[in-house]
C-alpha cells in the first residue's frame, strides 16, 4: 500500500463501528408494522421481533453466554433462526450455524472443532443430539426449539431430560429491554463449516464488518442497480436456501435492514412452499436448481401460474441450465443466476441485464440469465493461471477466478495450511475455471476438479449438462469424467427423465449428434455412457455430488 496522509482525529469524536446490531436498528425506523412469518404457525411485526431479539440476548447472558463464546443452532429456516442472527451476534458471541444435513459424525466434529458452548436445537434433531451428546467436549447448555408450542400451550416449557429449557418459555420470563454494546467491528460474528472433496469440514468465519459490508453490497446491486428487483414496499422475501448455508446467502440481513415482509418455511416441503408462495404473496426467493426444478415440475405449478408470474428467483450453488431457465420463464418466473462460495459470504456476481439486454425477447435473454452474473459492486475479480499471473478478460481465455472483496473470509479456523492455500498469491482462490468478458460477465466453465480432460481438450461438464437439459424429456442431468486408457478421461452422464417420457441412450446420443453435425456442439461433448436414474446424488446443501457420482460409476465400471 502507498503512504498517505490520514485525517486528524479528535479524542472526543466517535466513529461508529459497522455492527450487526446497526442493521437490526434500521428495521424499526420506517415500516415496523410489517410482518415476519413462520410457516402457518407464527407471525409477528418488527416491533415484536426486536423485543424478542432482546429477550434472547437476556436469556443467553442469563445462561452465562459471554462475548467470544460460540452458540450453535440446529433448526429449520425459522423466525427463531433469524432472531439468533441478531441476538447472538449483538452480544459479542459467535453464531455457529450447524449444517443439519451432515452425518452425525460430521456434526460432532464441527461442534467440537468450533468449541460450541451453548446449543439451541429443534426437536426434530434430538435423535442426532442423543447419538453424539456424550462426545461433545465443550457444550454447557442445551435449549429446545419446538414447533409444538405454537399449537399446544401445554408444550411451552416442557423439555426432555438433559436440556436446560424451552425457547419460548425462556423468552417469556425475561425482559424485552437490552442495550447492545459497541465493540470492534472486526469482532468474530459467525462461523459455519463447508465440506470439500477431502478431509474434515472446514470452518469458515466472518466478522461484523464483513457481514455489514456484504449487506451493503447486496443493497447496492439489488436495490440500486435492480439486478434482482427487491422493493421493500411491495416485495415479500422467503429463503429456500438453508439458513445454515452462508447465512441464507446474506438475504435475511438485507430484508431486516429494509423491514421487508419475511416468510420462513421451516422444513422444505413442496406443498408448504407453494402454499406460502400463494397465501403470503412471496415475490423473492433464492435456491439451488434442484429446488426450483422440483417446484416447476410440480403438478400444482400450472395451477398457481398467476402467483408464480410475480416471483423472482436467484439460482446459485450449481449452474442454472438453459432447460430449467426456459421452464421457469414459461411459468412467468423471473429467474436469474448468482455466483459465489461459502468463503465469500457468498455473493461475487449476480445477473444484471443492461438496457439493451433487457429489451431482448426472453428466448434471447436465456444465455445471459444462465451465466454466473456480472461482477458485483465492491468485488475485484480476476483470472489467474497456475503461476499466479493474471489473464485477459476477453470472454475467451480461461483461468481460475480469484477475488478480493470487503467480505471474504480470512481463512479457515484452526487450519492455517488450507487457509494459506485459499489465499495463495494474496487473492482468494475459488477453484472455478471461467472466462470474464470485457463487460464484466463471469462465465464459469467448471470447477477445476470437474473439468473433463479428454483427448487433449478441456470439456466443461456444466456445458454438457446444459446441452442435455435442453433435450425433450430430460428433467435433470449430471456429467462426470472417468479415466480412459486412450483419451485420459471420457464423459459419462446420469439423466432423470421427466414423468411420462421413455428415454433411451441411443435417442439421447442421436439428438446430441444432430447438434454436433450442425456445428452447435463439439464432438467431445458426446458422453461415452448414459445411465437413467430416479435420483442424482446431492451434497448437504443441494449441489450435485460429483465426487460420489465418480466413485460409484468407477465401481460400476470395474465390476462390469
Amino acid at each position: 500500500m502507498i503512504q498517505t496522509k490520514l485525517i486528524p482525529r479528535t479524542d472526543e469524536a466517535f466513529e461508529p463501528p459497522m455492527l450487526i446490531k446497526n442493521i437490526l436498528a434500521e428495521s424499526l425506523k420506517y415500516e415496523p408494522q410489517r410482518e415476519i412469518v413462520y410457516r402457518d404457525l407464527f407471525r409477528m411485526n418488527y416491533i415484536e421481533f426486536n423485543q424478542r431479539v432482546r429477550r434472547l440476548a437476556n436469556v443467553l447472558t442469563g445462561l452465562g453466554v459471554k462475548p467470544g463464546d460460540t452458540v450453535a443452532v440446529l433448526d429449520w429456516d425459522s423466525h427463531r433462526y433469524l432472531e439468533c442472527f441478531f441476538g447472538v451476534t449483538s452480544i459479542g458471541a459467535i453464531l455457529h450455524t450447524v449444517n443439519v444435513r451432515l452425518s452425525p459424525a460430521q456434526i460432532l466434529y464441527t461442534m467440537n472443532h468450533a468449541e460450541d458452548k451453548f446449543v439451541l436445537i429443534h426437536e426434530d434433531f434430538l435423535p442426532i443430539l442423543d447419538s453424539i451428546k456424550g462426545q461433545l467436549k465443550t457444550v454447557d447448555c442445551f435449549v429446545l426449539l419446538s414447533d409444538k408450542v405454537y399449537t399446544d400451550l401445554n408444550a411451552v416449557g416442557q423439555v426432555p431430560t438433559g436440556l436446560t429449557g424451552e425457547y419460548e418459555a425462556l423468552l417469556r420470563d425475561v425482559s424485552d429491554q437490552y442495550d447492545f454494546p459497541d465493540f470492534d467491528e472486526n469482532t468474530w460474528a459467525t462461523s459455519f463449516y463447508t465440506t470439500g472433496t477431502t478431509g474434515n469440514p472446514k470452518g469458515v468465519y466472518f466478522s461484523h464488518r464483513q457481514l455489514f459490508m456484504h449487506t451493503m453490497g447486496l443493497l447496492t446491486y439489488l436495490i440500486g442497480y435492480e439486478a434482482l428487483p427487491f422493493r421493500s414496499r411491495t416485495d415479500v422475501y422467503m429463503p429456500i436456501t438453508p439458513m445454515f448455508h452462508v447465512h441464507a446467502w446474506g438475504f435475511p440481513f438485507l430484508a431486516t435492514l429494509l423491514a421487508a415482509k419475511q416468510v420462513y418455511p421451516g422444513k422444505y416441503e413442496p406443498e408448504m412452499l407453494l402454499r406460502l408462495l400463494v397465501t403470503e404473496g412471496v415475490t423473492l426467493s433464492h435456491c439451488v436448481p434442484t429446488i426450483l426444478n422440483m417446484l416447476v415440475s410440480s403438478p400444482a405449478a400450472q395451477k398457481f401460474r398467476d402467483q408464480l408470474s410475480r416471483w423472482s428467483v436467484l439460482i446459485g450453488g450449481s449452474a442454472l441450465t438453459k432447460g430449467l431457465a426456459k421452464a421457469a420463464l414459461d411459468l412467468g418466473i423471473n429467474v436469474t443466476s448468482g455466483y459465489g462460495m461459502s468463503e465469500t459470504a457468498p455473493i461475487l456476481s449476480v445477473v444484471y441485464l443492461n438496457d439493451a439486454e433487457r429489451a431482448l425477447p426472453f428466448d434471447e435473454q436465456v444465455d445471459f440469465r444462465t451465466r454466473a452474473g456480472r461482477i458485483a459492486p465492491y468485488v475485484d475479480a480476476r483470472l489467474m493461471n497456475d503461476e499466479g499471473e493474471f489473464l485477459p478478460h476477453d470472454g475467451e481465455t480461461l483461468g481460475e477466478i480469484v477475488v478480493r472483496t470487503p467480505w471474504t473470509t480470512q481463512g479457515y479456523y484452526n487450519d492455517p495450511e488450507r487457509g494459506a492455500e485459499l489465499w495463495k498469491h494474496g487473492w482468494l482462490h475459488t477453484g472455478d475455471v471461467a472466462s470474464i468478458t470485457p463487460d464484466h460477465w463471469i462465465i464459469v466453465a467448471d470447477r477445476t476438479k470437474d473439468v473433463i480432460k479428454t483427448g487433449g481438450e478441456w470439456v466443461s461438464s456444466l456445458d454438457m449438462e446444459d446441452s442435455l437439459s435442453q433435450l425433450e424429456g430430460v428433467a435433470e442431468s449430471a456429467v462426470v469424467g472417468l479415466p480412459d486408457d486412450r483419451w485420459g478421461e471420457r464423459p459419462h452422464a446420469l439423466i432423470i427423465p421427466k414423468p411420462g417420457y421413455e428415454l433411451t441412450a441411443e435417442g439421447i446420443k442421436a439428438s446430441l449428434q444432430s447438434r454436433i453435425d450442425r456445428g452447435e456442439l463439439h464432438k467431445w461433448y458426446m458422453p461415452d455412457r448414459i445411465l437413467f436414474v430416479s435420483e442424482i446424488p446431492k451434497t448437504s446443501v443441494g449441489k450435485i455430488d460429483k465426487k460420489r457420482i465418480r466413485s460409484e460409476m468407477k465401481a460400476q465400471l470395474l465390476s462390469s
Side-chain angles (χ1 to χ4, degrees):
M1 291 188 181
I2 64 171
Q3 291 295 319
T4 58
K5 187 174 183 179
L6 300 179
I7 62 170
R9 293 181 176 273
T10 302
D11 291 342
E12 291 77 11
F14 178 66
E15 185 175 337
M18 300 178 187
L19 299 176
I20 291 172
K21 71 165 187 172
N22 298 329
I23 296 175
L24 176 68
E26 295 300 316
S27 67
L28 285 174
K29 284 185 177 178
Y30 309 112
E31 303 288 354
Q33 78 287 350
R34 289 186 181 146
E35 288 188 309
I36 297 170
V37 180
Y38 175 52
R39 293 175 76 87
D40 53 358
L41 297 174
F42 184 86
R43 58 202 316 129
M44 60 183 165
N45 61 31
Y46 276 92
I47 296 172
E48 296 165 311
F49 172 67
N50 274 262
Q51 291 171 341
R52 286 173 61 88
V53 169
R54 284 169 168 76
R55 288 181 184 273
L56 175 58
N58 279 313
V59 167
L60 294 172
T61 54
L63 291 172
V65 177
K66 302 182 298 297
D69 285 343
T70 302
V71 178
V73 176
L74 295 84
D75 194 9
W76 304 114
D77 286 7
S78 72
H79 63 297
R80 297 174 299 242
Y81 224 138
L82 185 66
E83 289 159 8
C84 290
F85 271 30
F86 293 93
V88 173
T89 58
S90 294
I91 63 174
I94 301 165
L95 175 66
H96 175 198
T97 56
V98 178
N99 183 344
V100 296
R101 294 178 183 164
L102 296 177
S103 68
Q106 288 176 312
I107 290 174
L108 173 66
Y109 171 82
T110 64
M111 293 180 70
N112 280 335
H113 189 266
E115 301 170 4
D116 295 339
K117 299 203 71 172
F118 300 84
V119 178
L120 287 75
I121 183 167
H122 189 279
E123 56 206 351
D124 287 356
F125 306 120
L126 290 177
I128 296 176
L129 178 62
D130 289 341
S131 69
I132 66 173
K133 190 174 180 181
Q135 302 172 72
L136 291 170
K137 299 176 180 178
T138 56
V139 177
D140 296 331
C141 174
F142 299 91
V143 172
L144 178 69
L145 307 174
S146 172
D147 286 352
K148 297 185 180 72
V149 299
Y150 304 120
T151 57
D152 180 7
L153 290 178
N154 292 324
V156 177
Q158 294 184 5
V159 295
T161 302
L163 272 65
T164 305
E166 180 271 315
Y167 189 84
E168 291 297 335
L170 292 171
L171 259 61
R172 182 188 58 191
D173 293 340
V174 296
S175 169
D176 62 7
Q177 300 297 308
Y178 192 98
D179 187 15
F180 291 120
D182 285 320
F183 43 76
D184 192 306
E185 64 188 23
N186 294 302
T187 295
W188 188 351
T190 65
S191 67
F192 56 85
Y193 283 73
T194 179
T195 55
T197 56
T198 58
N200 288 316
K202 303 185 292 291
V204 179
Y205 49 88
F206 294 94
S207 69
H208 282 254
R209 184 183 190 279
Q210 288 171 321
L211 296 178
F212 187 99
M213 286 303 301
H214 185 267
T215 305
M216 295 303 107
L218 281 176
L219 181 69
T220 302
Y221 214 8
L222 271 64
I223 311 302
Y225 287 97
E226 295 189 357
L228 188 65
F230 188 13
R231 298 164 292 267
S232 65
R233 287 184 180 276
T234 56
D235 282 315
V236 178
Y237 164 68
M238 180 174 75
I240 318 181
T241 303
M243 297 179 79
F244 65 70
H245 186 219
V246 207
H247 323 107
W249 299 358
F251 279 78
F253 291 118
L254 176 63
T256 301
L257 175 78
L258 299 173
K261 181 178 178 181
Q262 302 185 60
V263 179
Y264 287 87
K267 186 177 182 179
Y268 293 163
E269 299 161 334
E271 298 80 7
M272 176 59 69
L273 292 174
L274 284 169
R275 187 194 314 170
L276 292 171
L277 275 168
V278 173
T279 60
E280 300 297 340
V282 174
T283 61
L284 176 67
S285 297
H286 47 81
C287 63
V288 295
T290 306
I291 297 291
L292 180 63
N293 186 56
M294 176 184 71
L295 291 172
V296 301
S297 302
S298 168
Q302 291 294 340
K303 178 181 175 182
F304 297 126
R305 190 182 185 95
D306 287 346
Q307 289 83 359
L308 291 175
S309 67
R310 298 193 294 269
W311 193 32
S312 293
V313 183
L314 180 67
I315 296 297
S318 297
L320 171 64
T321 63
K322 291 184 176 68
L324 180 55
K326 289 176 181 176
L329 290 169
D330 286 345
L331 287 169
I333 300 170
N334 177 27
V335 63
T336 55
S337 295
Y339 167 70
M341 55 192 296
S342 296
E343 291 83 348
T344 63
I347 298 297
L348 293 175
S349 64
V350 173
V351 166
Y352 171 77
L353 301 177
N354 63 26
D355 292 344
E357 294 155 352
R358 201 176 299 116
L360 295 172
F362 272 160
D363 284 349
E364 296 180 41
Q365 290 183 15
V366 168
D367 178 61
F368 294 103
R369 289 174 178 265
T370 54
R371 293 180 178 182
R374 270 191 164 105
I375 299 169
Y378 320 127
V379 173
D380 190 0
R382 309 280 185 92
L383 297 178
M384 186 177 283
N385 63 19
D386 291 341
E387 289 70 43
E389 300 166 335
F390 293 125
L391 302 173
H393 295 183
D394 55 16
E396 297 180 1
T397 304
L398 293 177
E400 183 186 6
I401 305 172
V402 296
V403 298
R404 289 173 174 173
T405 81
W407 49 76
T408 39
T409 189
Q410 297 296 299
Y412 298 118
Y413 181 52
N414 275 347
D415 196 346
E417 289 186 5
R418 286 200 283 187
E421 182 180 353
L422 178 71
W423 277 97
K424 187 170 55 177
H425 305 303
W427 290 75
L428 187 142
H429 289 250
T430 65
D432 288 317
V433 176
S435 62
I436 298 178
T437 69
D439 52 351
H440 311 296
W441 283 100
I442 293 178
I443 304 173
V444 174
D446 223 329
R447 294 289 293 170
T448 53
K449 60 181 179 291
D450 293 331
V451 172
I452 301 167
K453 305 171 187 67
T454 180
E457 299 286 338
W458 283 42
V459 174
S460 166
S461 65
L462 300 183
D463 283 350
M464 290 192 66
E465 290 160 5
D466 190 62
S467 298
L468 290 169
S469 78
Q470 297 177 67
L471 300 181
E472 187 175 5
V474 174
E476 195 174 351
S477 66
V479 176
V480 298
L482 296 181
D484 183 90
D485 291 340
R486 181 180 181 187
W487 302 110
E489 282 186 323
R490 288 294 298 148
H492 297 248
L494 296 181
I495 291 177
I496 300 177
K498 289 181 179 177
Y501 283 84
E502 293 186 9
L503 303 179
T504 65
E506 292 75 17
I508 294 291
K509 288 187 175 183
S511 296
L512 292 174
Q513 188 62 50
S514 66
R515 295 193 63 190
I516 292 170
D517 293 343
R518 294 195 301 269
E520 297 173 3
L521 289 178
H522 195 283
K523 66 178 182 178
W524 296 112
Y525 280 55
M526 177 69 74
D528 270 18
R529 185 171 59 147
I530 297 173
L531 298 178
F532 296 99
V533 295
S534 59
E535 186 177 2
I536 290 175
K538 303 291 197 310
T539 68
S540 62
V541 292
K543 298 180 183 180
I544 295 175
D545 191 343
K546 295 196 174 181
K547 177 187 175 185
R548 179 179 162 192
I549 293 171
R550 279 191 290 266
S551 175
E552 292 177 355
M553 294 187 81
K554 280 181 184 177
Q556 290 177 17
L557 285 175
L558 289 173
S559 63
S560 62

